[in-house]
Amino acid sequence: MTIEHTLAELDDADTALAYDALRALRPHLTSVEEFVEVVRLQRKEGYRIVASFVDGAVVAAAGFRHMTNLYAGPHLYIDDLSTLPAARQQGHAGALLKWVDEEARRLGCPSVHLDSGTPRHDAHRLYLSSGYVIPAFHFSKRL
């Protein structure tokens, strides 16, 4: 059985629709108001959200931005990709990854990048089966 995914990019007025899906990945976000405000700030840096809908509700979302840097040149970077637990294993994240790929091509970007937390093995399987490779380790330092 093939599930057709309804995908749409969210504008500033629709940002709150993605709160529950992205909070599944970012549980430190404690209110929809905080979420909308942070996304509003990120949008000034080029952040965009595309969502997967079921019966008019967002069940998965990807937050991404177009950037250029020395190591990768122009590319899309996926900051956030998350699916509500009840909607997992239904192809929503894979459909969102394909949408981002097409957007990267449309913008002339030869690659898409993302980071993923080390314990997220199901996500890693999806990324690897979607053609991603692990070219580096990501390091961070709290100050």
Side-chain angles (χ1 to χ4, degrees):
M1 177 169 119
T2 302
I3 297 174
E4 187 170 327
H5 297 92
T6 302
L7 305 179
E9 187 168 351
L10 302 180
D11 61 19
D12 195 52
D14 295 329
T15 297
L17 297 175
Y19 173 68
D20 289 333
L22 289 175
R23 187 166 187 264
L25 177 65
R26 309 286 185 220
H28 65 278
L29 298 169
T30 57
S31 74
V32 68
E33 295 81 14
E34 173 193 18
F35 169 72
V36 168
E37 183 56 33
V38 172
V39 169
R40 201 165 274 139
L41 292 171
Q42 288 178 254
R43 284 186 186 279
K44 292 177 183 176
E45 300 170 351
Y47 186 80
R48 298 164 57 192
I49 298 174
V50 62
S52 183
F53 291 81
V54 172
D55 297 328
V58 172
V59 298
F64 64 97
R65 65 185 84 222
H66 182 222
M67 59 175 41
T68 301
N69 54 30
L70 291 175
Y71 82 86
H75 63 283
L76 289 190
Y77 180 82
I78 299 173
D79 295 82
D80 310 292
L81 176 61
S82 182
T83 303
L84 289 172
R88 291 182 182 157
Q89 302 296 317
Q90 297 174 22
H92 296 286
L96 290 168
L97 287 173
K98 287 178 186 171
W99 190 98
V100 171
D101 286 353
E102 288 304 313
E103 184 64 1
R105 287 184 190 96
R106 187 185 76 77
L107 294 171
C109 297
S111 62
V112 176
H113 294 253
L114 60 83
D115 288 325
S116 182
T118 54
R120 300 189 67 229
H121 302 293
D122 289 341
H124 302 162
R125 279 190 286 281
L126 171 65
Y127 304 146
L128 292 169
S129 70
S130 297
Y132 287 79
V133 297
I134 305 170
F137 289 103
H138 175 93
F139 292 87
S140 67
K141 179 180 178 181
R142 280 190 115 19
L143 302 175

